[in-house]
Amino acid sequence: MNQPVLNLSPKVSDEVRKTTCYMCACRCGIDVHIKDGKVAYIEGNRDHPVNQGVLCAKGSAGIMQHNAPSRLRSPLKRVGERGEGKFEEISWDEAYDIAAGWLEPIRKEDPSKLAFFTGRDQSQSFTSWWAQAFGTPNYAAHGGFCSVNMAAGGIYTMGGAFWEFGQPDWDRTKLFILFGVAEDHDSNPIKMGLGKIKKNGAKVVGVNPIRSGYNAVADDWFGVTPGTDGLLILSLVHCLLKAGKIDLTYLRDFTDAPVLIDEREGPTKGLPLKDDDGHALVWCRKENRPRCYDAEDVDPDLNGAWEDGDVTHRTVFHALAHKYLDPQYAPEAVAERVVISATRIRGLAAEIARVAFDEAIELDHEWTDFRGRKHTKMVGRPVSMHAMRGISAHANGFQTCRALHTLQILIGSVETPGGFRFKPPYPKSAKIHPKPHCKVTPGAPLDGPHLGFTHGPEDLCLREDGTPARIDKAYTWENPMSSHGMMHMVISNAHAGDPYKIDTLFLYMANMAWNSSMNTSGTMKMLSDKDENGDYVIPHIIYSDAYSSEMVAYADLILPDTTYLERHDCISLLDRPICEAEAAADAIRWPVVEPDRDVRGFQTALIELGSKMGLPGFVKDDGSPKFTDYADYIVNHERRPGIGPLMGWRGNGDDTGRGSVNPAQLDRYIENGGFAIQHIPENAQFYKPWNMAYQEWAVEIGLFDKASPYLFTLWCEPLRKFQLAAEGHGDRQPPDHLRDRIKATMDPLPIWWDPMEVHGGQGTFTVTALTQRPMAMYHSWGTQNAWLRQIHGTNPLYVPTEIWEGQGFGDGDWAKVSSPHGDITVPVVHMPALNRNTVWTWNAIGKRKGAWALHDTAPEAKEGFLLNHLIHELLPPKQDGMRWSNSDPITGQAAWFDLKVKIERTPAPADGRAKPDTGSQASPVGKGPRTLAWEV
Amino acid sequence: MHPAPSVILFSSLAGAGFGLLFFLGLGAPTYDGVIAFGFYVIAYALAVGGLLCCVFHLGNKKNAIKSYSQWRTSWLSREAWCAVGALLTMGLFALGQIFFSVNWQPLGFIGAMLSLGTVFTTSMIYAQLKTIPRWNQPATPGFFLLAALAGGAILSANIDMALALLAGLGAVTAFHWWKGDRRFAEAGSTISSATQLTGTVSLWEKPHTGQNYLTHEMVYQVGRKHAVKLRVIAMGLMVVLPLLVLLVFGPHHVPAAIAVLSHLAGVLVQRWLFFAEAEHVVGLYYGAHTDRQAVA
Amino acid sequence: MTALPSSTDKKLGLVIDLDTCVGCHACVTACKGWNTQNYGAPLSDQDPYGTPSGTFLNRIHSFQTQPETGLARTTHFPKSCLHCEDAPCVTVCPTGASYKRAEDGIVLVNEDACMGCGLCAWACPYGARELDQDAGVMKKCTLCVDRIYNENLPEVDRQPACVRTCPAGARHFGDLGDPNSAVSQLVADRGGVDLMPEQGTKPVNQYLPPRPRDTISDVLEGDEDILAPYLAPVAEEPKGFLGWLDKTLEKL
Ligand SMILES: Nc1nc2c(c(=O)[nH]1)N[C@H]1C(S)=C(S)[C@@H](COP(=O)(O)OP(=O)(O)OC[C@H]3O[C@@H](n4cnc5c(=O)[nH]c(N)nc54)[C@H](O)[C@@H]3O)O[C@H]1N2
Ligand SMILES: Nc1nc2c(c(=O)[nH]1)N[C@H]1C(S)=C(S)[C@@H](COP(=O)(O)OP(=O)(O)OC[C@H]3O[C@@H](n4cnc5c(=O)[nH]c(N)nc54)[C@H](O)[C@@H]3O)O[C@H]1N2
Ligand code: SF4
Ligand code: SF4
Ligand code: SF4
Ligand code: SF4
Ligand code: SF4
Ligand SMILES: [Mo]
């Protein structure tokens, strides 16, 4: 038997270049194999802290993104009408002239006439710095419609959040509970973590209306009714409190549970009592008197009571116990709403109690807390939790996120072994974050960073006349704690000229004419709408994209970006770094291949535009450009003396974090595989917010300038401050129509309310409609990828059994899906493992005809559809005709998942096309080839 | 299975062609000169034409020659051998008859056997496949052979023989259909055996939203009603009509011609069904054929 | 060649953990990427920017199951060549292009001999072979034969691309002929199974079935409730609760 002789050791490539993936925001390290100077194969970088060698479906398909026919080729100037996609190619010089021609006058007269908003880019510390120098208050990234509830809920409660800013202690956890996650930003780490948990025989619980992906591998699935997690969580809290299964030591020593709340009537009622230098007061059991919480020998009394004249000040914990022991939170009371039996709720609570207290972990690491007390071990409660948009993308999301963190804190599982751990630069108290700034001076920079954390009415972004200072109305009484801005309101506000008209809308990396917007068809109209003299209502639109997206067709001027393999980027500690719980880390991208098109990295373009306009910080005293390009900025820019965008190899190459500029820094990053990592000392790895060893380490590498320990805040003081204002205290007062809402929603302790009542149209729309991230697709980008679009080329609406049978659906059927706002006609598919009152589809699969260099036959533009047409950025009108934004009343988080619909069986459309028809756009880059066999 | 025209044409035409060669090889009938030439032209046209069709079906024709290498194990390879064997020997035999009016009968006999062998090996290519239970039954070679012989008999004007063979073909074909409808369940492959998952199993999402080679090639399905209609048509054209015509009008050119055409048309329909109705077990991974699987 | 080796020195294959696979398709594109640049003709795509279809050696199906009682489940189900011991795809091949390696049992297609007749794909019960529409030759999982022995790759990387990339660690590669190998142990511990045993192909690849699901509250529903003590109330009313609190704080 003669077998052919095989070459078992073929040459893999000429060279491997290590950089950072950008097929999504997870920022895994990649080994790019280069053959004959071309990208031949991409695999994971084994040494990289984020992905340790693995790649997801998108990452491995990066080569098809890099060679996508949809890549833009040169700057474009619109020649047709907005939306048509008719452009002429122009030079970069002409592009800059046009842009400066629009922007320079604005800056002189009123910088707020520029609205500059960016998508999921990872250079926000740079783009915001540019916007600050320009002087407009109208800057934000996409966080406002993404998951700000998760971020703000976490930071206001415990000085750090889930998102990609923290992680479960994957190696030690014994029970992992996942709320409302399909994929998240930490795509690979979560999958790797689930793998570890399964390997260690630990338990995974998935709380999600839909049982797919992570929830398919979950050992137990809780198919909760959308929007009711708050109830479920507070019911768990109820059970655990009632059984005394809470970590009293942890609560006493590290949280505000023992802090005394002011009981006196008046402007301070309900605020934590403080001493003269602002330290919260607790009742000391030893000395039977109120004392400042951080005194070395204080013994805080969780049940302390201070008889102060005619009032008795009691503790946060006292209030909390009274609130959640109330029978309204008993499993029996909530079971029907969340459609999970009381038995299963108890079962989960009992399992949490068992694991937290019977399987407690003890690590023999000595450590010293902020009171100077020595501890001989680190005790851990190996119950970890993670959550994302499933709970945050509802109008009650902020309070639900706080409820979840309250649960974690009550059992002492935050920053302890086996529980949830922060990644640098977190933990970081909300108090030491910047506050929002909005003071505009013509021809000058803004008075400070745009985004930050408000701590009371005094921090709101309002003009003298009380009207919103920002175009998106962030940090106003409508949503006082909108820490990430409200990108989803920009276009409709700019179109309505409310709060004011703008001149130029400048967008970067956000497909706002499509999947990125609520009310997509409406948004397309607003972008192309004209006034009585035939001018566009939004006069100028500048957009930077790398590909021929839907949004491109709606812009007047296109600044074409490179692909992620062709440019410098920096994933910085000043922004959203790649840190791990054990280490600080940051990374770069660098051009592993040169672009073959007339395109430039957007950050470089911003630098060139900035220096052309002579923006402060972008030019030397003689007016000449300060930075040649983004790489130059990355190396030479300093935020604070010694602190720059990158932490690694500073000074002469030996300093990390703090240190002077090192011209060879980027080379050192490239040598090291594109990233730098600095490990946290062992005795500083847990209890970080209170662990002096960590605090000192953080100061040393420049995370902050002085040690800043703090208490977790179960009682959210800012919320109470806004409530007090709504009750009539203080000189900054909310408009009357908002008083009741503020009083009702901004409770200093987590509460739950039904966010969807207002969407039901008096019982017409009863089914919740959701979307999920497909693991193998990234929003709209994935579709231009020849491999990925074969996996997700269409997206049926998945329907649970009751509705499927109720409507008499069969294979290949279609449905008319309507909301208070409109209707769509789409194909349906049956899915039993689904909450009985929920339908859903994959996010952002539907495409507009002509976009992404696809042929008109593309299924994405035929059966593919967006749910977004049904979601309005405003709530249905109230009795008084008022329309509030479809957002969380506290943070302004877009409430994507509050969508309520009606579903009716309908004959399949004759043309087989999903409705609505959004027309088509010309392609500035032509169409893709008919066959593909990409071998380098 | 996807009813590829090339393969259907091949198996129907070649079948009849080799059937005719079989009779010519046996010397029933025996002619010489022009008449013999005429018969052989028809036979070779059908057989070679059929074989060519099947070469069109190949993705990489330049390697077709290699298909002679695996006769020890591969029915397709054996078919290739039989086919050339049959065509060559019958070719020599034909030369003798046409030009020298001699019958090298032993040669003809071998040729006849090889012709039949070709049809049999062809049938075994399908019959051997466990993955397609409908094909994986003795009646498959049964009707391939009978169809070839019946066609050959009519073409070679062995009318009495033809009558008997047509009847037999009808019976075996009917049985093949009857059995075929039960084979999938008998074979015992189910979506549960395919996935080894417990509970009632159904497909939620296909691996890719688009089509692929497998779904094109193997997850083809025909409507039940449609299939029944076609079975009636096939049986009518392939067996009933030729039988009647031959019974009523006997061995005259025109009726024989009608019989042949009707029969061949019927065989084409029957072969189309043979593919179109065939359920490949891989369909189970794509949510197909679950109506055919054994109820566990 | 088309005859199967009477026995193979090793039985290299994959073990796929259905309890852990999250259905992310990472192994699908990693496979496509590697095998487009390596072994044989590239894996082509037809009408890639219109109505696309293409050659993939590894695909993820997703199934839903409804147990007798309890909640419906979803299982993500990766499938590539199972490198069967009794591989029908090999014996049917007329050209000898399709063969099983004697040294490690890997089933391969020698593209220089393949005539693209498709018969082997018909013979495979698992849909593990796809005729590349551009090259006209049969494509199938090579078990990354050009990685696992490749001296140009670091030792750790001498494993299939799909295994190396699987974020959840749901794919395991090894010698299933050696009862002491890690993969054989895993199969033994977790009760690994053959797909379609009735087809008699004796697959080398093994599948680890999902572990039991939705068990948290069973104990509570059962007569003897082991979790109940964990929720035994310390008091019914807030007042009593705070009493308990004081007592406990004393002890701290
Ligand atoms: N129904 C529904 N809608 C949603 C959501 C939902 O859950 N349901 N999710 C919302 C959320 S959280 C988000 S974050 C948004 C995301 O929506 P978007 O932020 O719009 O995300 P994409 O469409 O992926 O990317 C935006 C644009 O970035 C471009 N791009 C890609 N790479 C580059 C590059 O390197 N440089 C430049 N300059 N541009 C590039 C793409 O071509 C695309 O046009 O969608 C929101 N929309
Ligand atoms: N592959 C891939 N990865 C991505 C992205 C992508 O497009 N593709 N996008 C990135 C971006 S911008 C973001 S913001 C993140 C978002 O990551 P995720 O937070 O995972 O966002 P979604 O995919 O919207 O998933 C929301 C999940 O919450 C569930 N859900 C909805 N409502 C409720 C509820 O009321 N309660 C509970 N418990 N669950 C609910 C939905 O069923 C869904 O599973 O993903 C990032 N990562
Ligand atoms: S998760 Fe995937 S797409 Fe995102 S960075 Fe990592 S490999 Fe790239
Ligand atoms: S899985 Fe299919 S292709 Fe692979 S060896 Fe088995 S039968 Fe052959
Ligand atoms: S397609 Fe190629 S490998 Fe498959 S049977 Fe035909 S010749 Fe053999
Ligand atoms: S082993 Fe290699 S060829 Fe086979 S599926 Fe995995 S990656 Fe693809
Ligand atoms: S990579 Fe792993 S987890 Fe993802 S689909 Fe493949 S086997 Fe499943
Ligand atoms: Mo997002």
Side-chain angles (χ1 to χ4, degrees), chain B residues 1-2 7 57-77 125-126 128-133 135 187-191 193-208 210-214 216-218 275 280-287, chain C residues 1-3 18 25 28 52-54 56 58-68 73-77 79 88 90-97 111-119 121-131 133 135-138 193-200 209-210:
Chain B
M1 300 296 289
H2 169 64
V7 183
H57 183 64
L58 298 180
N60 192 24
K61 301 170 187 57
K62 72 179 195 312
N63 282 342
I65 190 67
K66 294 204 162 62
S67 63
Y68 289 88
S69 63
Q70 304 303 315
W71 53 271
R72 276 192 228 74
T73 45
S74 165
W75 283 106
L76 205 163
S77 186
I125 294 172
Y126 304 106
Q128 72 178 335
L129 295 172
K130 273 192 168 170
T131 50
I132 305 165
W135 293 353
S189 291
T190 64
I191 193 165
S193 77
T195 59
Q196 296 292 310
L197 295 171
T198 54
T200 2
V201 188
S202 59
L203 182 75
W204 172 46
E205 274 195 324
K206 286 194 294 172
H208 289 32
Q211 293 286 309
N212 64 43
Y213 169 74
L214 297 164
H216 278 307
E217 183 82 357
M218 295 170 218
F275 285 92
H280 194 292
V281 293
V282 77
L284 294 166
Y285 290 108
Y286 287 86
Chain C
M1 264 184 290
T2 301
L18 297 180
H25 294 264
V28 174
S53 68
F56 286 78
N58 177 36
R59 295 177 184 262
I60 313 303
H61 302 239
S62 297
F63 295 95
Q64 31 203 10
T65 53
Q66 179 60 62
E68 291 288 312
R73 299 166 195 177
T74 310
T75 307
H76 300 290
F77 195 97
K79 195 161 51 57
V90 168
T91 47
V92 297
C93 176
T95 62
E111 294 177 12
D112 301 337
C114 172
M115 70 175 184
C117 67
L119 187 54
W122 290 9
C124 169
Y126 309 103
R129 294 180 163 237
E130 302 188 13
L131 188 69
Q133 298 302 296
V137 295
M138 191 53 69
V193 291
D194 289 356
L195 302 184
M196 286 192 191
E198 72 282 355
Q199 285 281 333

Side-chain angles (χ1 to χ4, degrees), chain A residues 120 142 146 185 389 773 779:
Chain A
R120 267 155 309 83
H142 78 294
C146 182
H185 295 86
R389 298 186 58 256
R773 304 283 189 266
H779 297 286

Side-chain angles (χ1 to χ4, degrees), chain A residues 1-4 6 8-12 31 35 40-41 43-44 46 53-57 60-61 63 67 69 188 191-192 194-195 198 203 205 211-214 216-222 239 241-246 248-249 252 285 301-303 317-318 321-322 325 343-344 346-351 353-354 358 775-776 784 786-791 830-833 853-855 857-859 928-936, chain C residues 1 3-5 18-26 28-30 32-34 36-56 64 66 71-76 99-103 108 110 134 145-147 149-153 156-157 159 161 164-169 211-217 220-221 227 229-239 241-242 244-246 248-250 252:
Chain A
M1 212 179 70
N2 58 329
Q3 295 176 175
L6 297 180
L8 296 177
S9 294
K11 183 151 169 273
V12 176
D31 295 358
K35 263 191 207 163
Y41 178 60
E43 64 186 341
R46 285 192 179 274
V54 310
L55 285 189
C56 80
S60 297
I63 185 169
N67 68 20
N188 278 331
K191 293 177 185 71
M192 292 154 71
L194 286 169
K198 291 274 181 181
K203 206 181 201 28
V205 173
R211 193 175 207 173
S212 69
Y214 301 160
V217 300
D219 298 283
D220 285 80
W221 173 58
F222 286 70
C239 297
L241 273 175
K242 200 162 173 185
K245 287 288 186 290
I246 47 178
L248 294 175
T249 333
R252 181 195 61 195
R285 293 172 68 90
D301 185 347
L302 285 169
N303 193 26
F317 189 75
H318 182 274
H322 272 83
L325 284 170
T343 328
R344 291 193 79 217
R346 282 224 158 65
L348 182 52
E351 182 64 9
R354 188 186 66 77
D358 280 18
M775 292 181 185
Q784 65 200 315
W787 296 348
L788 298 180
R789 67 184 293 259
Q790 292 184 55
I791 300 175
H830 180 208
M831 181 183 191
L854 298 181
H855 297 273
T857 52
R930 285 298 184 178
T931 62
L932 187 60
W934 190 269
E935 190 170 17
V936 176
Chain C
M1 264 184 290
L4 289 160
L18 297 180
D19 188 61
T20 307
C21 172
V22 297
C24 69
H25 294 264
V28 174
T29 53
K32 178 102 172 173
W34 175 260
T36 293
Q37 294 305 323
N38 295 283
Y39 191 95
L43 306 178
S44 73
D45 302 289
Q46 284 61 46
D47 200 9
Y49 302 100
T51 319
S53 68
T55 311
F56 286 78
Q64 31 203 10
Q66 179 60 62
L71 303 162
R73 299 166 195 177
T74 310
T75 307
H76 300 290
Y99 68 104
K100 186 172 177 69
R101 283 161 52 91
E103 49 275 66
L108 288 177
N110 170 7
D134 184 55
V145 67
D146 48 2
R147 286 185 63 93
Y149 302 111
N150 193 329
E151 268 132 32
N152 296 318
L153 289 173
V156 280
D157 282 344
Q159 52 168 301
R164 187 194 189 280
T165 211
C166 174
R211 295 188 176 93
R213 297 273 190 252
D214 306 316
T215 55
I216 266 190
S217 53
L220 292 164
E221 275 141 6
L227 279 178
Y230 291 98
L231 293 188
V234 293
E236 284 305 329
E237 288 307 308
K239 224 171 164 317
F241 174 79
L242 294 165
W244 165 84
L245 180 60
D246 285 326
T248 330
L249 291 172
E250 283 305 328
L252 288 181

Side-chain angles (χ1 to χ4, degrees), chain A residues 481-525:
Chain A
M481 294 158 74
S482 37
S483 316
H484 287 181
M486 294 175 66
M487 189 169 181
H488 51 296
M489 298 310 297
V490 173
I491 291 172
S492 56
N493 291 358
H495 176 261
D498 167 21
Y500 48 79
K501 289 202 168 307
I502 61 161
D503 174 85
T504 301
L505 176 62
F506 188 178
L507 296 174
Y508 164 50
M509 204 194 264
N511 202 359
M512 295 304 289
W514 200 247
N515 55 299
S516 203
S517 287
M518 295 178 160
N519 178 20
T520 298
S521 340
T523 305
M524 293 161 99
K525 282 197 200 71

